[in-house]
């Protein structure tokens, strides 16, 4: 009952020219996908990528969204700015934002509520560091990220969660199918406790962290894994192979 959702996260890669060229090549390859498809791109590329993806099934998303409607927030992007280009998704609380830009769970919460209030689907990222996993506190870390990050959300089914173990991002070290399934099942259980078990069944939960054309099938075969948030592999045609994981 949950539609699979494969999204790319270009991070600080690509230009308007290389991005548009990639979308042109990807479009026919993903046209018959059985899942929802999105590429989350740097804010400055949103107008050109929206244009490049016009008439295709590739939706363009943002990599962040600010909580204020407007104001003195140098360097930030508001919901209205995104909506003007028909942006439907925004990544929120990526571990790189948490790690390098001081993003807190409270900020994640404010951004999430703002996205929802503006009809933009938040892709809320959660995940533990290697130290936390080895210290046996993964569940505790996820509890806090979910409890604070999703506070006051009215309809949790409108949210996408991306479970991204920090130790698997850009490292080539993927969580095993079983590790990813086990942790994502835990996340679903926790969402069930915060909201309701039935609501948790409706939430699309992606895996992210060195997901690629080779390991996508095994990960997507897991019962609680509904999709992927793809970094490196979304910068090339491998992204189409991942989108077509079921073929
Ligand atoms: P990689 O796929 O490059 O490991 O990145 C994952 C990620 O952070 C997606 O948001």
């Amino acid at each position: 009952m949950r539609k699979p959702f494969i999204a790319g996260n270009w991070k600080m890669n690509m230009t308007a020219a290389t991005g548009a060229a990639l979308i042109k090549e990807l479009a026919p390859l993903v046209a018959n996908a059985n899942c929802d498809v999105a590429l989350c791109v740097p804010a400055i590329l949103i107008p050109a990528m929206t244009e490049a993806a016009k008439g295709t099934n590739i939706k363009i998303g943002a990599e962040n969204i600010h909580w204020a409607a407007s104001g003195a927030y140098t360097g930030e992007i508001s919901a209205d700015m995104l909506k003007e280009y028909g942006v439907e998704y925004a990544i929120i609380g990526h571990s790189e934002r948490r790690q390098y830009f001081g993003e807190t769970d409270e900020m994640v919460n404010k951004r999430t509520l703002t996205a929802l209030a503006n009809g933009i689907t938040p892709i809320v990222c959660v995940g533990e560091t290697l130290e936390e996993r080895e210290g046996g506190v993964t569940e505790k870390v996820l509890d806090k990220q979910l409890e604070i990050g999703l506070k006051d959300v009215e309809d949790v089914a409108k949210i996408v969660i991306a479970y991204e173990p920090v130790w698997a991002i850009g490292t080539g070290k993927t969580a095993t199918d079983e590790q990813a399934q086990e942790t994502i099942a835990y996340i679903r259980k926790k969402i069930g406790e915060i909201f309701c078990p039935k609501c948790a069944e409706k939430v699309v939960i992606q895996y992210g962290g060195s997901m690629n054309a080779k390991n996508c099938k095994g990960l997507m075969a897991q019962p609680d894994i509904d999709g992927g948030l793809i970094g490196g592999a979304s910068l090339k045609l491998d992204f189409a192979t991942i989108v077509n994981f079921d073929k």
Side-chain angles (χ1 to χ4, degrees):
M1 83 188 190
R2 297 185 297 267
K3 189 167 184 200
F5 177 32
I6 304 289
N9 174 10
W10 279 1
K11 308 190 179 183
M12 198 175 73
N13 295 296
M14 310 302 266
T15 64
T18 59
L22 178 61
I23 289 178
K24 202 171 164 205
E25 282 194 86
L26 281 173
L29 303 177
V30 303
N32 297 314
N34 297 315
C35 59
D36 288 328
V37 184
L39 286 170
C40 297
V41 307
I44 196 170
L45 301 188
I46 288 173
M49 296 313 103
T50 305
E51 190 57 35
K54 217 181 222 162
T56 78
N57 57 332
I58 303 173
K59 305 271 199 255
I60 299 302
E63 296 180 11
N64 200 0
I65 180 173
H66 197 263
W67 54 82
S70 63
Y73 299 99
T74 303
E76 292 288 324
I77 307 286
S78 74
D80 275 351
M81 296 172 191
L82 297 177
K83 283 198 292 187
E84 202 168 20
Y85 291 95
V87 167
E88 291 181 37
Y89 299 98
I91 295 175
I92 294 174
H94 192 280
S95 63
E96 287 146 18
R97 303 250 11 127
R98 294 177 189 260
Q99 192 180 343
Y100 305 129
F101 302 99
E103 188 91 21
T104 63
D105 291 321
E106 286 75 14
M107 291 178 191
V108 170
N109 182 238
K110 288 200 272 184
R111 296 186 201 276
T112 300
L113 295 175
T114 299
L116 287 170
N118 285 281
I120 293 172
T121 300
I123 302 176
V124 180
C125 300
V126 297
E128 80 288 0
T129 62
L130 184 59
E131 203 183 7
E132 289 161 346
R133 176 159 281 261
E134 289 176 345
V137 294
T138 298
E139 294 185 353
K140 215 173 121 204
V141 168
L142 294 171
D143 285 355
K144 182 168 167 279
Q145 290 174 340
L146 293 167
E147 277 163 12
I148 303 174
L150 303 187
K151 193 166 172 276
D152 297 332
V153 165
E154 274 177 25
D155 184 359
V156 74
K158 293 204 169 124
I159 283 186
V160 172
I161 300 281
Y163 167 58
E164 300 208 315
V166 180
W167 47 272
I169 297 177
T171 57
K173 214 174 165 184
T174 328
T176 63
D177 298 348
E178 294 73 27
Q179 270 174 332
Q181 163 59 27
E182 186 188 29
T183 313
I184 288 180
Y186 176 78
I187 290 170
R188 197 178 300 287
K189 185 174 135 249
K190 181 71 191 173
I191 292 174
E193 284 165 18
I194 303 174
F195 297 91
C196 74
K198 256 207 167 120
C199 320
E201 286 304 314
K202 293 186 191 150
V203 179
V204 169
I205 309 183
Q206 300 173 318
Y207 168 79
S210 298
M211 192 159 163
N212 58 38
K214 282 209 179 98
N215 60 27
C216 61
K217 270 191 201 301
L219 287 160
M220 290 301 294
Q222 302 303 313
D224 280 288
I225 302 182
D226 307 317
L229 187 55
I230 321 297
S234 73
L235 303 172
K236 41 191 185 178
L237 296 181
D238 287 30
F239 184 67
T241 310
I242 304 174
V243 166
N244 293 308
F245 69 91
D246 58 340
K247 292 181 187 149

